[in-house]
Amino acid sequence: DRASSVYGPRDLEDRVVSKFFANALRGEPLNVNGEHERLDFSFVTDVAQGISLAATKDAAKNEIFNITYGEDDTILNAARLVKTLTGSDSEIVLCDKNPIMPSRGYLDIRKARYLLDYKPKYSIEQGFPLYHEWLKDPF
């Protein structure tokens, strides 16, 4: 199974969404590497559902699936949403895209939808608020 830009409760502070939230909550800058770069942000519950389906469905045997939300959004839009949700006055800093990092966009999840009946539910507008709530009281 292939996931992309996973975020959500229990995430470590080493991926883009978790970094944005941590920095916003500390009042530190949110660095966006590439103004037009896009990612397929995937909420951990959706990814867990997809992995579970792939592990239990006969149709998944010897298959590889993209387990993501299946739509992309800009990293800049993600940073703006984090700022709004947290009420942070953090600055969004537009940086050049790292030339060694490939542009990613979204992954095609039609195979997972068809063979596994995979149905991701959480766009960033739905998942980011849930992650933010967890960050406010993680235990």
Side-chain angles (χ1 to χ4, degrees), residues 3-11 15 41-54 67-69 118-123 126-128 130-131 134:
S4 173
S5 302
V6 180
Y7 68 93
R10 307 235 185 266
D11 199 1
R15 291 188 264 227
F41 298 100
S42 303
F43 191 61
V44 68
T45 303
D46 285 336
V47 174
Q49 174 215 15
I51 291 170
S52 177
L53 289 168
I67 302 295
T68 68
Y69 184 64
Y118 173 60
K119 298 174 183 168
K121 299 177 186 174
Y122 298 96
S123 67
Q126 296 162 308
F128 278 24
L130 296 174
Y131 184 36
W134 179 82

Side-chain angles (χ1 to χ4, degrees), residues 41-129:
F41 298 100
S42 303
F43 191 61
V44 68
T45 303
D46 285 336
V47 174
Q49 174 215 15
I51 291 170
S52 177
L53 289 168
T56 58
K57 295 265 188 172
D58 288 339
K61 192 172 188 171
N62 298 318
E63 297 288 343
I64 297 172
F65 298 95
N66 293 326
I67 302 295
T68 68
Y69 184 64
E71 295 178 19
D72 58 354
D73 207 330
T74 65
I75 300 170
L76 178 56
N77 190 47
R80 289 176 176 149
L81 181 56
V82 167
K83 271 192 66 160
T84 298
L85 288 170
T86 60
S88 176
D89 60 357
S90 293
E91 178 185 3
I92 294 176
V93 178
L94 297 177
C95 306
D96 290 335
K97 178 187 174 297
N98 183 336
I100 65 170
M101 294 296 292
S103 294
R104 293 182 19 204
Y106 75 97
L107 297 177
D108 185 345
I109 63 170
R110 288 179 292 184
K111 182 177 173 183
R113 285 185 187 276
Y114 177 72
L115 291 177
L116 304 178
D117 197 29
Y118 173 60
K119 298 174 183 168
K121 299 177 186 174
Y122 298 96
S123 67
I124 64 172
E125 291 80 13
Q126 296 162 308
F128 278 24

